[in-house]
Amino acid sequence: MDLGIAGRKAIVCAASKGLGRACAMSLAREGVDVVITARTPGPLEETADEIRSATGVRVITVASDITTEAGRAAVLAACPEPDILVNNAGGPPPGDFREWTREHWIKAVDANMLTPIEMIKATVDPMMKRGFGRVINITSSSVKAPIEVLGLSNGARSGLHGFIAGLSRKTVKFNVTINNLLPGPFETERMRNNLFHIANVKGITTDQARELRRKENPSGRLGDPAEFGDACAFLCSAQMGYVTGQNFLMDGGAYPGTY
Ligand code: NAP
C-alpha cells in the first residue's frame, strides 16, 4: 500500500537507537525526509548514514536533549514546520515511590509529559493551517497495565494520555491526528539493559532472562523494533486521517483484558 506521505517532513525525537530509530527508518522508507535527534552525536550520525543509504531521503541530525528548552529549540530550528512529529525520550528509572522526591517527579513529568506537549504546541497550529499533520507519542504499555516498579512512568505518561485525549478531538477536523503508540517488550538497547539487570538480580545469564521474558509473552517472543516502526509509519499515513486520540498497544498480547 502506498501510504501517501512521500515528500513529507518528519521530526523523530530520540531516534539514534531503538524504537525512535525504527520509526525514522520506516518513515524514510516511505519517502519522508527526517530530522532525527539524540543526545550523543556518534550513534546519531551512524543512524543517519544508515537511513540515508537504505532509503535515499534527506536526513538531518540534531544532537540535543529533547527534554530541555534549548534542545527542543534546536530541533525546531532545523525543521520549524514538520508534517509528522514523533515524540519520544528515555523513560524514567524504576524504583519505590517512597524514595522519590519532588525532583524525581518533576524530571519524569518534564521528559514524558511536558516535552511532547511543548513539541505539539510548537507544531500543531501550522499543521492545522496546512490541512495535514500526524503526531505519534511513543509511551508505554504501562499506561494501560501499570508496572509496579515504574510508577514514575505510569504516572507521567498517563498525564500525557489525558491531555492528548482532549486535544486530539480538536485537531482532527483539520486532518491533524494525534495518537499514542504503546510498546510492550521490544528488543532494544533499553530492553537489553533491563534484561542484564534482571539477570544480575536473579543470578542467571542475560540469555536466560530473555528466555523467561519471551516465554511469559503470549506471542512467545519480544517485539522487533521494525514492527513498531512500520506501525508508526502506517498511523502517519494519508489513509489514517479518521483515527485520532487512540492508544495503540503493541505488546504481543500481554495485556489480558477484552477492552
Ligand atoms: P533505547 O533503545 O535506549 O533508545 C533510546 C533513544 O532515545 C536513544 O537514541 C537515545 O539516545 C535517545 N534519547 C534518550 N533520552 C533522550 C533525550 N533526553 N533527548 C534526546 N534523545 C534521547 O530505548 P527504547 O527501548 O527505544 O525506548 C524508547 C521509549 O520507549 C522510552 O521512553 C522507553 O521507556 C519506552 N518503552 C520501551 C519499551 C521497550 O521494550 N523497548 C517498552 C515500553 C516503553 P541518547 O542516549 O544518545 O540521547
Side-chain angles (χ1 to χ4, degrees):
M1 188 194 287
D2 177 359
L3 299 188
I5 48 177
R8 298 272 183 200
K9 286 176 287 179
I11 292 177
V12 187
C13 304
S16 66
K17 295 178 189 167
L19 303 178
R21 179 193 181 282
C23 292
M25 182 64 91
S26 294
L27 287 167
R29 285 194 201 286
E30 295 304 316
V32 175
D33 291 331
V34 291
V35 175
I36 58 172
T37 89
R39 291 163 302 181
T40 321
L44 183 64
E45 292 308 328
E46 276 169 35
T47 293
D49 284 342
E50 283 162 16
I51 296 174
R52 283 184 199 110
S53 56
T55 68
V57 302
R58 188 158 181 248
V59 184
I60 295 173
T61 57
V62 180
S64 72
D65 184 340
I66 199 67
T67 67
T68 66
E69 211 176 313
R72 290 188 291 275
V75 179
L76 290 163
C79 185
E81 297 207 348
D83 305 299
I84 294 166
L85 168 66
V86 180
N87 282 312
N88 187 29
D96 184 321
F97 81 95
R98 291 169 191 85
E99 283 153 23
W100 292 330
T101 62
R102 177 177 166 74
E103 279 64 44
H104 289 106
W105 277 106
I106 295 294
K107 206 171 169 201
V109 168
D110 243 346
N112 299 110
M113 179 181 171
L114 299 181
T115 290
I117 291 173
E118 286 295 331
M119 289 299 290
I120 292 169
K121 190 168 88 181
T123 55
V124 81
D125 288 327
M127 285 179 183
M128 288 196 285
K129 253 188 211 143
R130 295 195 305 276
F132 180 90
R134 300 285 182 265
V135 179
I136 303 293
N137 302 304
I138 299 178
T139 64
S140 172
S141 62
S142 73
V143 174
K144 207 157 158 71
I147 299 169
E148 199 191 330
V149 294
L150 291 179
L152 289 169
S153 170
N154 303 338
R157 296 189 200 271
S158 292
L160 174 66
H161 278 227
F163 170 74
I164 295 299
L167 179 66
S168 58
R169 272 82 187 181
K170 296 282 179 201
T171 62
V172 65
K173 196 174 183 177
F174 303 94
N175 192 22
V176 176
T177 66
I178 313 178
N179 291 292
N180 304 310
L181 251 180
L182 286 56
F186 276 81
E187 181 92 46
T188 64
E189 189 169 304
R190 175 184 164 94
M191 173 57 71
R192 284 189 282 279
N193 290 340
N194 284 351
L195 291 173
F196 181 74
H197 177 71
I198 291 166
N200 278 346
V201 170
K202 292 195 170 172
I204 56 177
T205 66
T206 308
D207 281 345
Q208 286 168 328
R210 182 181 288 103
E211 268 315 292
L212 289 175
R213 206 69 211 270
R214 277 188 189 146
K215 278 187 191 147
E216 74 190 14
N217 191 285
S219 69
R221 65 183 178 91
L222 300 177
D224 178 348
E227 297 172 291
F228 191 88
D230 285 352
C232 173
F234 182 64
L235 284 172
C236 292
S237 68
Q239 291 89 336
M240 291 301 273
Y242 202 53
V243 175
T244 200
Q246 297 304 300
N247 301 318
F248 191 83
L249 181 64
M250 293 186 76
D251 69 347
Y255 175 71
T258 306
Y259 301 106

